[in-house]
Amino acid sequence: HEDQVTEALEELLSPFLEEAERLELKTLFRAIGRLIDDRQARIDRTELAHLQERTADKQHQRAKRRKFKQLRALMVQFRGGVRSIFGESAVRGYLGLDQATGREPVLLLRQARRVLQRLQDPDRPRPEPQIDGGNLDWDRWIAKLERPTRELEEAREGQHIEAKETESTLRAMHLD
């Protein structure tokens, strides 16, 4: 049994033996110490990488929340303006908003994209105002909604990339 243990130890520790060293008790302890140092250095590197990934992920989450709030505020404001000038039928029929403004990013993005698509469609006639002299600068609202919609989409994509990188880091933390 001793030979098998020696062979297994030699195989495990041979990368940590220096050229002139043989596997003796004193050498064995030095090689085990180097093995432990090597594994600890690997753990330290992967923990640092994981911490950096988590920090980046939190930054992306904060940015996404901020962009979500900005877009949602604009959508609520725009929807209210359309409702007051053109009526609820324009909100539902023209804008295609048949439910409350999204309270989570996926729904809000879907709504914003639908609104932008409908506003930019040259074949869709604009609704008639229900109040005399009422009007809305449609092009201005398109411009106001485009950037935050794009930014929220990019923030969501960035968060998905960060999640994949974090997953890779966690896999790397499992030692060989």
Side-chain angles (χ1 to χ4, degrees), residues 70-87:
Q70 290 169 348
L71 180 58
R72 188 166 193 288
L74 278 174
M75 287 287 289
V76 167
Q77 183 182 5
F78 178 62
R79 183 182 191 139
V82 171
R83 181 181 295 116
S84 65
I85 296 170
F86 301 96

Side-chain angles (χ1 to χ4, degrees), residues 32-48:
I32 290 173
R34 290 181 198 132
L35 171 68
I36 291 169
D37 290 344
D38 176 72
R39 295 297 163 93
Q40 185 61 51
R42 262 198 238 177
I43 290 169
D44 292 346
R45 284 190 305 271
T46 55
E47 283 180 349
L48 178 61

Side-chain angles (χ1 to χ4, degrees), residues 13-51:
L13 298 176
S14 63
F16 302 99
L17 291 175
E18 294 180 3
E19 201 171 299
E21 292 180 321
R22 292 186 13 206
L23 198 57
E24 297 172 347
L25 194 55
K26 191 176 190 179
T27 308
L28 175 66
F29 288 134
R30 270 196 305 259
I32 290 173
R34 290 181 198 132
L35 171 68
I36 291 169
D37 290 344
D38 176 72
R39 295 297 163 93
Q40 185 61 51
R42 262 198 238 177
I43 290 169
D44 292 346
R45 284 190 305 271
T46 55
E47 283 180 349
L48 178 61
H50 179 64
L51 180 62

Side-chain angles (χ1 to χ4, degrees), residues 42-43 45-47 49-50 53 160-176:
R42 262 198 238 177
I43 290 169
R45 284 190 305 271
T46 55
E47 283 180 349
H50 179 64
E53 291 295 330
H160 290 298
I161 290 168
E162 287 297 325
K164 287 180 182 180
E165 289 174 355
T166 300
E167 183 180 315
S168 297
T169 301
L170 287 172
R171 268 186 274 158
M173 287 182 73
H174 295 286
L175 299 176
D176 299 334

